[in-house]
Amino acid sequence: MSGQPSGGPGHAARPGPNGVVNGNMAVPPQTRPDGLGGNVAGNPPGASMSQQNLNQIVIEYLSKKGYSRTEAMLRTESASHDPVGRLGGPRGAEGPAKFRKGMDLLLTWIEGVLDIYKPELRRLIWPVFVYSFLTLVDDSYLEPAKDYFNTYKERLENEHKDDLRRLEPISLPSHASDSDIAKIYRGSKYRVTMSNAGYDQLVQFLENKYYEGGNVVLSILQGSLKIVTIDRASEDRVSLANMLSRAKVQEEFPAEDEGIPGHNPGSAILDQEPGSTTLARLQLGPLEMEPDLLGDVMAELDEEDARNPPGDGQTSLRTEFDQMIKKEPDLEGPDRSTIPLPPSKARDVIMEVQKVKENRDRFKIEGRTGGVAAGVSVCMFTFHNTHDSVTCARISDDNILIAIGLDQHYIRVWNADGKPLPSTMPNEQPQASRRLIGHSGPVYGLSFSPAIKNPNASESDDPSKTPSTEAQLLLSCSADKTIRLWHLGTWQCLVVYKGHLGPVWDITWGPFGHYFLTGSHDKTARLWSTEHISSLRIFAGHDDGVDVVAFHPNTAYCFTGSSDHLVRMWLLSTGAQVRLFTGHTGNITSMACSPSGRILASADDNGYIILWDILPGRLLKRMRGHGKGGIWSLSWSVESTVLISGGMDGTARVWDATKLADAPGQGRILGEGGAGAKIDVGNQPQAGGKKKGKETVVSNDQISAFPTKKSPVYFVKFTRMNLALAAGAYLP
């Protein structure tokens, strides 16, 4: 109809984006963004409105109404399409080069943004790299895919070394289809958490650089990532204070909720199926005491209270014992029938009574101690003239014996008080030290059987009739693939255990004796019993040698740490794996489970200690202060609030395990210890000395550090009285 705009009766003409009425009047052709003449592809003259223009109108409306989250989502979706709605933007001429163009654009921009946004934006580099590489392989751009991988591999190796190792062999589409790691990344979206402000800046930049590589990055963000935006006011980790602190740190680590479920750092989920959230049920409470033993211990404690009533301010031994065995409501203990143990003896009664006495009379470390020097000092045993031959050291639980393993294939044992060591063999004189000879390779691990010092033994009318509570057995493991059990009365080897197919790196007794655990270069850990010549369980699953092993305090579980940078938790009764802890960037060098059974501490050769909440499998925090070379020993205080560590850098360090880090990596930069310089959280290094070694960041969890004079610390421990002991060898 003449004079009636098209679109039917009653429809008024509406202005277009440039004010031109979209009716009978012809719409002038839009100019292409690349500067070439003609219409935008797929937008014929006379069309009412392009998809891009429609999206822009909606975005402006959402912005005016304050719907910022919906606006940001629509911006991402709109920007990842070309002007007529096709996903991924223009293809063809650029071919595989567009992925490198997009990555270079992202890297350049991230390095130029404000420092407070860099840490969270850097978390995007890895997923963009992975999905770009897999897309290139899928599209059969084989040489460009290889070049792309090699170009950016080096900057990602520190954090993603294992995944890079598994991705590198992928060179054909068929390889990608069969690769487990490729299936993991393709099967789920990679999760990244960002602040609203950082996300808005990212989308705005990529929109502005759409045809300069931004379209490729936006396409990956939309199709392969799940970006969760958080308001600064709602969560501390994206608060301005934390972001400013993180901006000062050169080394950033993934958040525990980052990545793909079952594959992300800090995840305890074992199921690799996409989206799985299944966690095995755990029983972390203490193991119930045998009924007969429980009755005998209570009777002994009542008699002791009657003979020696508690002093002013002291609780009775019976009350202390009731507090020790009191169950926590949220921790269920394992069934005693699942962990067969030999019947208790008179020795066990004496040991349990003495444990209660020491627990009551111990030096108590209570309250938060971060940044405040706790009353903890360290007694250090130093070995001289070892010529760098010491491989390990251990101190017995009764603090009477100290032993070292040597690369000269033997073990040497001393009395910690310097007294001669007697022998139960007839006509054999006491000696200042004992040599245990039998291994045919370097001795890498030692472990004394459970023991406790009984001060009442010397007061007995007939000490010979009082069962000894001192360490009676010593286990050793060696490069000769064997484990040996030594008697500490006759100083002879009782049993040789064989089964491992490679050098045995570590060994430890269970908390109640009877069982012991070993880790080997053959990628397995094994559970043994003193009564059986062969292993009871084989724990297989690591991709590299098992370097360290540890028991849970209730003996129901054990932990293994490996050179594959993983820590695994196993159920002893079935041999099943129940937790997986990933997040280390170096080889695991030591582990220790807290007496409470709730927290696991693990350390690596990059100088980091990580604390894990075992029940949910959550990473609590990272602590740093040691130099590189390995943290060789960890030990918890009785309260599970303070941790002590010793390592290759020649220092023993005390850490606050209760204070969660306000921000990752906070701390000053101090010189590495080992040269006699005083190091403490509360003091700066003394001036005047020449700075030695590489500078190390000390996190704010460190309470204090005790440097030695060129003596690597092989072993540290808290006694049941909360006294800290250490052992090392002087290396001039």
Side-chain angles (χ1 to χ4, degrees):
M1 183 183 296
S2 176
Q4 180 91 7
S6 62
H11 286 265
R14 292 186 300 175
N18 296 321
V20 181
V21 176
N22 289 322
N24 288 347
M25 188 180 299
V27 180
Q30 299 180 21
T31 304
R32 289 170 58 107
D34 54 10
L36 301 177
N39 296 330
V40 175
N43 191 22
S48 60
M49 186 175 297
S50 71
Q51 181 66 38
Q52 192 178 45
N53 290 334
L54 179 61
N55 287 349
Q56 185 62 35
I57 292 173
V58 176
I59 288 172
E60 291 176 0
Y61 171 79
L62 294 172
S63 179
K64 290 178 181 178
K65 292 296 184 180
Y67 302 127
S68 57
R69 181 167 297 185
T70 307
E71 175 197 353
M73 293 174 63
L74 184 57
R75 282 182 182 275
T76 303
E77 185 175 346
S78 173
S80 60
H81 293 73
D82 65 11
V84 292
R86 293 184 305 201
L87 182 64
R91 292 178 174 269
E94 285 186 294
K98 63 185 177 184
F99 291 99
R100 180 175 293 190
K101 188 176 179 181
M103 176 62 87
D104 290 340
L105 177 74
L106 180 65
L107 292 173
T108 303
W109 178 69
I110 289 176
E111 294 307 313
V113 298
L114 292 175
D115 288 346
I116 61 171
Y117 297 115
K118 285 181 180 179
E120 59 178 338
L121 291 170
R122 285 174 181 152
R123 310 314 312 162
L124 298 170
I125 297 173
W126 169 250
V128 170
F129 167 82
V130 171
Y131 290 111
S132 296
F133 171 71
L134 292 177
T135 302
L136 285 168
V137 174
D138 286 341
D139 292 344
S140 297
Y141 293 123
L142 306 183
E143 283 301 319
K146 183 178 180 181
D147 292 340
Y148 182 89
F149 187 92
N150 292 331
T151 299
Y152 304 107
K153 177 179 71 172
E154 186 176 349
R155 70 175 297 135
L156 300 167
E157 272 185 330
N158 185 46
E159 185 179 319
H160 301 282
K161 182 179 179 180
D162 295 326
D163 282 0
L164 285 169
R165 176 173 52 83
R166 297 168 67 186
L167 285 168
E168 192 164 15
I170 299 176
S171 57
L172 293 172
S174 59
H175 296 168
S177 301
D178 297 336
S179 170
D180 292 337
I181 188 71
K183 290 177 182 177
I184 289 172
Y185 279 96
R186 285 171 167 170
S188 295
K189 289 191 173 183
Y190 192 99
R191 177 186 169 111
V192 176
T193 303
M194 300 179 63
S195 65
N196 282 331
Y199 179 71
D200 290 342
Q201 287 201 41
L202 172 69
V203 173
Q204 185 178 0
F205 169 76
L206 294 176
E207 283 181 341
N208 293 337
K209 301 292 184 180
Y210 185 80
Y211 289 113
E212 298 172 32
N215 60 327
V216 176
V217 179
L218 282 167
S219 178
I220 293 173
L221 297 185
Q222 182 191 13
S224 302
L225 271 69
K226 180 181 179 181
I227 298 180
V228 180
T229 56
I230 301 176
D231 187 69
R232 283 181 183 170
S234 64
E235 193 157 339
D236 287 341
R237 62 172 158 169
V238 293
S239 66
L240 184 59
N242 273 349
M243 293 178 74
L244 286 169
S245 299
R246 291 170 61 191
K248 301 175 183 178
V249 182
Q250 295 297 320
E251 209 165 356
E252 180 72 13
F253 293 95
E256 65 182 80
D257 58 352
E258 178 183 326
I260 293 173
H263 192 67
N264 57 297
S267 171
I269 301 171
L270 302 172
D271 191 354
Q272 292 293 332
E273 291 298 321
S276 174
T277 58
T278 304
L279 277 175
R281 179 170 168 266
L282 299 181
Q283 297 173 315
L284 301 181
L287 183 67
E288 289 188 358
M289 193 175 291
E290 186 182 356
D292 291 343
L293 177 61
L294 180 63
D296 291 341
V297 171
M298 287 183 172
E300 285 290 331
L301 292 175
D302 288 337
E303 290 182 12
E304 186 67 26
D305 282 333
R307 287 195 302 266
N308 301 300
D312 295 338
Q314 274 190 329
T315 60
S316 67
L317 293 175
R318 179 63 184 272
T319 303
E320 185 74 22
F321 180 66
D322 291 339
Q323 291 295 324
M324 290 174 63
I325 64 174
K326 183 179 179 181
K327 291 185 178 179
E328 298 185 48
D330 58 337
L331 281 187
E332 180 185 359
D335 188 347
R336 192 173 182 87
S337 63
T338 63
I339 310 169
L341 290 169
S344 58
K345 301 178 181 178
R347 180 179 188 266
D348 299 311
V349 177
I350 297 173
M351 290 183 66
E352 292 299 329
V353 170
Q354 186 60 28
K355 286 178 183 178
V356 177
K357 292 180 180 179
E358 291 189 355
N359 191 74
R360 184 189 68 177
D361 300 335
R362 75 184 190 277
F363 168 69
K364 294 177 174 60
I365 305 175
E366 296 175 341
R368 292 176 64 140
T369 56
V372 179
V376 178
S377 58
V378 178
C379 176
M380 178 79 177
F381 295 89
T382 304
F383 299 94
H384 293 265
N385 303 318
T386 62
H387 306 290
D388 199 16
S389 61
V390 177
T391 56
C392 58
R394 288 295 182 274
I395 300 172
S396 61
D397 289 345
D398 56 10
N399 309 317
I400 294 177
L401 300 178
I402 182 168
I404 59 172
L406 297 106
D407 60 11
Q408 298 165 357
H409 310 177
Y410 69 91
I411 304 156
R412 198 163 179 183
V413 185
W414 288 266
N415 187 303
D417 292 333
K419 299 177 181 178
L421 295 175
S423 173
T424 58
M425 299 294 287
N427 303 322
E428 187 169 348
Q429 296 298 318
Q431 298 180 19
S433 66
R434 295 281 179 174
R435 296 193 182 197
L436 306 181
I437 301 173
H439 283 292
S440 59
V443 178
Y444 290 127
L446 297 170
S447 183
F448 285 100
S449 59
I452 194 166
K453 187 174 179 61
N454 181 15
N456 296 329
S458 58
E459 301 173 4
S460 175
D461 295 335
D462 189 357
S464 63
K465 294 183 179 180
T466 303
S468 173
T469 58
E470 297 179 356
Q472 298 176 340
L473 301 171
L474 175 68
L475 283 166
S476 62
C477 61
S478 168
D480 63 10
K481 308 178 188 177
T482 67
I483 301 105
R484 288 179 177 261
L485 180 66
W486 307 84
H487 192 274
L488 299 178
T490 62
W491 305 102
Q492 300 294 322
C493 179
L494 301 178
V495 189
V496 179
Y497 301 94
K498 297 181 180 180
H500 279 295
L501 304 178
V504 186
W505 301 127
D506 195 22
I507 190 166
T508 184
W509 280 100
F512 304 104
H514 190 64
Y515 297 108
F516 59 93
L517 192 65
T518 56
S520 170
H521 184 68
D522 63 9
K523 305 179 184 179
T524 68
R526 294 179 183 240
L527 178 69
W528 309 76
S529 166
T530 53
E531 297 178 349
H532 296 82
I533 195 67
S534 58
S535 59
L536 306 178
R537 292 281 185 274
I538 299 177
F539 305 106
H542 285 286
D543 294 329
D544 211 329
V546 178
D547 299 325
V548 289
V549 291
F551 273 97
H552 188 273
N554 65 15
T555 312
Y557 306 95
C558 68
F559 304 91
T560 57
S562 169
S563 296
D564 63 6
H565 306 176
L566 301 178
V567 176
R568 298 176 186 265
M569 182 179 181
W570 312 81
L571 179 62
L572 261 62
S573 59
T574 64
Q577 187 180 177
V578 293
R579 288 291 186 273
L580 172 66
F581 303 102
T582 64
H584 280 286
T585 58
N587 302 330
I588 313 300
T589 53
S590 59
M591 291 188 302
C593 187
S594 66
S596 67
R598 291 176 175 270
I599 304 174
L600 175 70
S602 58
D604 60 36
D605 57 5
N606 285 337
Y608 286 96
I609 301 171
I610 298 182
L611 301 186
W612 311 90
D613 189 346
I614 298 174
L615 197 62
R618 188 166 63 91
L619 187 153
L620 292 176
K621 62 176 177 178
R622 296 175 191 267
M623 303 185 297
R624 185 175 184 184
H626 284 281
K628 290 188 178 181
I631 298 171
W632 293 342
S633 185
L634 297 170
S635 182
W636 288 89
S637 66
V638 176
E639 298 84 0
S640 302
T641 58
V642 173
L643 186 74
I644 186 172
S645 62
M648 178 65 183
D649 64 349
T651 63
R653 298 173 186 262
V654 182
W655 308 88
D656 180 4
T658 61
K659 181 179 183 295
L660 293 182
D662 297 328
Q666 276 191 322
R668 300 187 316 279
I669 296 180
L670 300 180
E672 289 184 355
K678 174 64 177 175
I679 302 176
D680 199 293
V681 166
N683 301 303
Q684 295 290 345
Q686 294 179 358
K690 184 178 179 182
K691 186 166 67 175
K692 298 187 178 183
K694 184 180 178 182
E695 290 185 337
T696 302
V697 174
V698 178
S699 66
N700 59 0
D701 312 279
Q702 181 177 295
I703 297 171
S704 55
F706 300 89
T708 64
K709 293 185 177 180
K710 300 181 180 179
S711 299
V713 181
Y714 297 105
F715 180 72
V716 293
K717 67 171 287 189
F718 270 112
T719 70
R720 293 188 182 91
M721 300 287 285
N722 270 340
L723 304 177
L725 305 177
Y730 178 65
L731 301 179

